[in-house]
Amino acid sequence: QKHYTAKWEVFAGLEQFNYTADSSGITINGVKDTSITELTIPSCVTSIDSGCLNECRSLSSISVESGNPTYASRNGILYNSRITQIIYVPQKLSGDVVLADGIRSIPRQAFYSRDEITSVNIPDSVTSIGMSAFYNCDNLQTVTLGVAVTEIKNGAFEACSNLSLINWNATAVEDFESDGIVHSRDVFTDTGENGFELVFGDNVERIPGYLFD
């Protein structure tokens, strides 16, 4: 009887998921009801298949049960357990986004078409913003860059049509090149249809030469 009780407790909370379980742990590879708006990752989950949350187009918030060895959440966003890496941003995350201090980069297309966010505060721990990280965030109005950003790749804020204010605190953002190709072009292309204000912090020393190309 004790054996079966323990087994039930281990798998509690997984009813809404498709998953596999073996000696290495429990892997979520799908969500049964893709119309959900909120999702809780149980403490027993050790892995989530890449892309398995993409069909949850109404998802606005992810939380993680305490004690999970692999994942954590802050303000509705899924991170690794050390909160140094963004794992997944819900497609209907909304309002003012304050990213967790401690993350080092914003991955490629992390916020792609998250069109209900209105502002984003990028902490001083971030050094790199990936290609198309905030592409087509239609309602994004305000962006604040932390001081440590040194790399912003192509199209990071492209097509954010309502962007009106950029607080640029990054001390020295370089022209990022690889194999002779500049990867810091088109960062703000088709952004701010009615124009936007760019406010530089007191310690800014350098911005990319191709920033507004």
Side-chain angles (χ1 to χ4, degrees), residues 108-122:
R108 175 175 178 164
Q109 298 184 345
F111 287 82
Y112 191 99
S113 290
R114 274 30 176 199
D115 57 8
E116 294 193 15
I117 65 172
T118 54
S119 73
V120 60
N121 191 321
I122 298 172

Side-chain angles (χ1 to χ4, degrees), residues 2-202:
K2 291 182 179 179
H3 171 76
Y4 287 106
T5 299
K7 185 175 181 181
W8 181 86
E9 288 176 353
V10 167
F11 290 91
L14 286 170
E15 297 85 359
Q16 60 186 321
F17 299 103
N18 298 315
Y19 64 92
T20 56
D22 56 30
S23 59
S24 63
I26 296 174
T27 298
I28 291 174
N29 45 48
V31 178
K32 293 178 180 178
D33 181 4
T34 57
S35 67
I36 58 172
T37 59
E38 297 182 353
L39 185 66
T40 299
I41 306 299
S43 59
C44 58
V45 170
T46 55
S47 179
I48 301 173
D49 278 351
S50 175
C52 79
L53 300 179
N54 288 344
E55 295 303 314
C56 300
R57 296 189 173 92
S58 298
L59 188 62
S60 62
S61 180
I62 298 174
S63 60
V64 178
E65 286 185 349
S66 61
N68 187 290
T70 310
Y71 301 104
S73 63
R74 294 290 185 276
N75 301 318
I77 297 173
L78 184 65
Y79 296 91
N80 65 344
S81 60
R82 295 175 59 195
I83 316 181
T84 57
Q85 179 184 356
I86 295 173
I87 303 298
Y88 187 76
V89 179
Q91 294 187 43
K92 290 300 179 182
L93 185 74
S94 63
D96 300 329
V97 176
V98 179
L99 295 173
D101 191 17
I103 62 170
R104 298 163 187 165
S105 65
I106 299 175
R108 175 175 178 164
Q109 298 184 345
F111 287 82
Y112 191 99
S113 290
R114 274 30 176 199
D115 57 8
E116 294 193 15
I117 65 172
T118 54
S119 73
V120 60
N121 191 321
I122 298 172
D124 290 342
S125 58
V126 171
T127 60
S128 175
I129 300 174
M131 184 180 295
S132 302
F134 294 90
Y135 182 89
N136 197 37
C137 291
D138 278 344
N139 288 304
L140 181 61
Q141 299 169 27
T142 304
V143 171
T144 300
L145 294 180
V147 298
V149 174
T150 58
E151 177 181 282
I152 305 176
K153 294 187 178 179
N154 286 20
F157 297 95
E158 184 175 354
C160 296
S161 58
N162 284 299
L163 189 63
S164 60
L165 175 62
I166 303 166
N167 295 306
W168 187 290
N169 299 309
T171 303
V173 178
E174 303 287 349
D175 287 321
F176 178 73
E177 295 189 25
S178 177
D179 298 325
I181 300 172
V182 176
H183 293 283
S184 53
R185 292 182 182 270
D186 306 318
V187 172
F188 294 108
T189 298
D190 298 325
T191 290
E193 290 183 349
N194 297 314
F196 59 85
E197 183 180 6
L198 181 58
V199 179
F200 290 105
D202 293 338

